[in-house]
Amino acid sequence: MGEISEGLERLLYTQPVPSTTASRLKALLRWERGSTRQVAAVLGVSQRTVQRWVTRKAGGSRRPSARHEEAILDLVRARWQPRVRARRRAKAEEHGVVVHARARFGFWAGAGTSDDPRLRLITARLSGTVTRQMFAALDAGVGEKQHHLVLSRALGHAYFRDGGQRAHGLQVVLEDIDFIDFALL
């Protein structure tokens, strides 16, 4: 996942996703009412494998492979706070979000302007329409390049052209993101 995708995912959670594989397995077991068989079926492994992962005996517990840890993380993310995620997403798509980022921006403009990319700290409000476009790109599984394109257009309009009040014809290119965070309005 890229920076923008991760930022949009963080926006949807009120509590962070469990940070350890053991706590993620515990959450999966809670959602499946303690059934290691159900967790195994969802993950595509044997019931005994899941039992070994959650066993607390000395020398008896094994860690899942990197591939299985990634599958566990993906499954927990997909199931983590579904109603909260849906409400926060609907609010973001209706009212928009605030983006706070430090990124390198380049420009294409008329003669006499500097188009050298510069690192800028920007806080700007994005409309619900732009937020919907960003979530649609996230749902479609497009690459980070598409997210950069949508965000550079939106920030170009909101921040650099002051909502269409100045710098007509200025094209903004988002080249590199140092950090990015989104917040609900």
Side-chain angles (χ1 to χ4, degrees):
M1 257 193 200
E3 298 96 350
I4 297 172
S5 303
E6 288 175 5
L8 289 171
E9 285 293 325
R10 280 192 311 270
L11 172 71
L12 299 178
Y13 299 121
T14 57
Q15 295 178 353
V17 175
S19 59
T20 65
T21 303
S23 59
R24 292 175 190 146
L25 280 169
K26 186 177 176 181
L28 286 175
L29 283 168
R30 186 176 62 244
W31 294 329
E32 296 297 339
R33 296 180 174 82
S35 171
T36 54
R37 178 174 294 166
Q38 290 291 89
V39 172
V42 170
L43 292 172
V45 297
S46 71
Q47 180 180 3
R48 182 69 189 123
T49 300
V50 173
Q51 290 170 343
R52 279 194 304 266
W53 290 343
V54 298
T55 300
R56 296 288 181 204
K57 294 180 194 172
S61 87
R62 284 190 15 197
R63 290 190 52 162
S65 67
R67 180 175 59 93
H68 288 121
E69 282 184 354
E70 187 68 28
I72 291 167
L73 175 60
D74 290 344
L75 188 57
V76 169
R77 274 190 181 147
R79 293 183 177 187
W80 191 252
Q81 299 182 308
R83 283 176 274 170
V84 172
R85 288 172 50 89
R87 280 193 308 262
R88 289 178 68 91
R89 180 170 173 168
K91 185 176 179 183
E93 289 180 349
E94 182 180 345
H95 300 291
V97 296
V98 173
V99 61
H100 180 67
R102 184 170 56 214
R104 189 170 308 282
F105 292 92
F107 305 95
W108 287 312
T113 61
S114 171
D115 61 353
D116 292 336
R118 296 184 188 134
L119 194 62
R120 295 178 184 262
L121 182 61
I122 294 178
T123 301
R125 181 185 182 279
L126 302 179
S127 69
T129 304
V130 172
T131 306
R132 276 190 295 281
Q133 289 174 353
M134 292 173 61
F135 277 119
L138 182 67
D139 292 343
V142 300
E144 195 69 5
K145 193 171 190 172
Q146 182 67 25
H147 285 290
H148 279 232
L149 181 64
V150 171
L151 190 59
S152 65
R153 285 181 187 158
L155 288 176
H157 180 73
Y159 182 81
F160 294 97
R161 288 190 299 273
D162 196 20
Q165 300 291 330
R166 61 184 180 89
H168 303 288
L170 178 72
Q171 298 294 319
V172 178
V173 179
L174 178 61
E175 294 187 3
D176 185 28
I177 297 175
D178 189 23
F179 74 85
I180 190 164
D181 199 17
F182 296 92
L184 292 175
L185 290 173

